[in-house]
Amino acid sequence: GIVMKKWFLVGAFILLCNMFFSVCLAMEANKDSAIDWKISVKEKLTPEELEAMRWTEVFQNELAQYFFEVKSIQPDSADKDQIHVTVKAIYRDKAVINNLNEYYRKNLEKEDSIACSEMQMIFQLHKRMYAVKNLKLYSSKRVLIVEQTKDVSFVPVPVKTFADTMYEFVRKCVQN
């Protein structure tokens, strides 16, 4: 009984050691391919997935679903009370989309339509004002349809709107 258990344990131990060393040797032999594999996993993200990772949803209404880019929140170099942020609106309102499609029809390919816009917004924190500095309008095929850079003209932040939600978020980010 006891001698048999000892031989069984010795055999099991030798088998486990043999498996462990085989795995170690295999890993050592395939060290380079393991690194390649890790790199290839990272490269498999599609451009759409990378684009989606940039944005954080902040607000939605009947008109659009709104996002902002966390990395874009930056104080103005000349005026620390002014905070810049890049935002994105994915349009949901069919009437708005149809109006934009009609207006930009000559810029759109067949079977394509207006999908979203990206805006560079600036918030004046102490005055509760904002401005849109730049606007880019994209189609559903991710084609840039139009880009407009505007003279910065600040207006009051309207209550219970996307601008209001974004203002409050930016203000809290800067305070922390």
Side-chain angles (χ1 to χ4, degrees), residues 21-38:
F21 287 118
S22 296
V23 168
C24 287
L25 286 173
M27 286 176 63
E28 187 64 32
N30 291 327
K31 187 189 267 183
D32 292 336
S33 65
I35 290 172
D36 291 343
W37 182 80
K38 286 180 184 174

Side-chain angles (χ1 to χ4, degrees), residues 40-54:
S40 71
V41 168
K42 288 185 179 179
E43 290 178 332
K44 287 188 180 182
L45 290 176
T46 66
E48 292 82 14
E49 290 169 326
L50 290 170
E51 178 67 13
M53 290 172 61
R54 280 180 55 198

Side-chain angles (χ1 to χ4, degrees), residues 13-29:
F13 179 74
I14 290 171
L15 183 64
L16 284 173
C17 287
N18 200 8
M19 286 175 34
F20 175 75
F21 287 118
S22 296
V23 168
C24 287
L25 286 173
M27 286 176 63
E28 187 64 32

Side-chain angles (χ1 to χ4, degrees), residues 54-55 67-69 72 84-88 118-120:
R54 280 180 55 198
W55 303 102
F67 301 82
F68 72 98
E69 185 179 23
S72 72
H84 296 252
V85 63
T86 303
V87 299
K88 177 179 180 176
E118 288 181 23
M119 298 169 274
Q120 297 292 319

Side-chain angles (χ1 to χ4, degrees), residues 100-166:
L100 290 169
N101 286 340
E102 190 65 33
Y103 189 80
Y104 293 106
R105 185 182 326 153
K106 66 181 186 302
N107 301 50
L108 290 165
E109 296 176 17
K110 286 184 179 178
E111 308 299 318
D112 202 1
S113 68
I114 300 298
C116 67
S117 62
E118 288 181 23
M119 298 169 274
Q120 297 292 319
M121 297 179 80
I122 305 171
F123 291 92
Q124 289 181 331
L125 297 184
H126 289 94
K127 295 179 182 174
R128 197 175 168 77
M129 306 277 278
Y130 83 103
V132 175
K133 181 179 178 180
N134 179 280
L135 176 104
K136 295 177 183 177
L137 197 59
Y138 290 95
S139 75
S140 60
K141 294 181 179 176
R142 197 73 186 133
V143 174
L144 178 62
I145 301 303
V146 67
E147 181 173 6
Q148 300 172 345
T149 300
K150 303 175 180 184
D151 292 332
V152 175
S153 177
F154 287 93
V155 295
V157 173
V159 179
K160 294 185 181 176
T161 62
F162 161 68
D164 184 37
T165 304
M166 202 64 237

Side-chain angles (χ1 to χ4, degrees), residues 75-82 84:
D76 190 89
S77 56
D79 182 353
K80 300 297 181 199
D81 186 50
Q82 291 186 12
H84 296 252

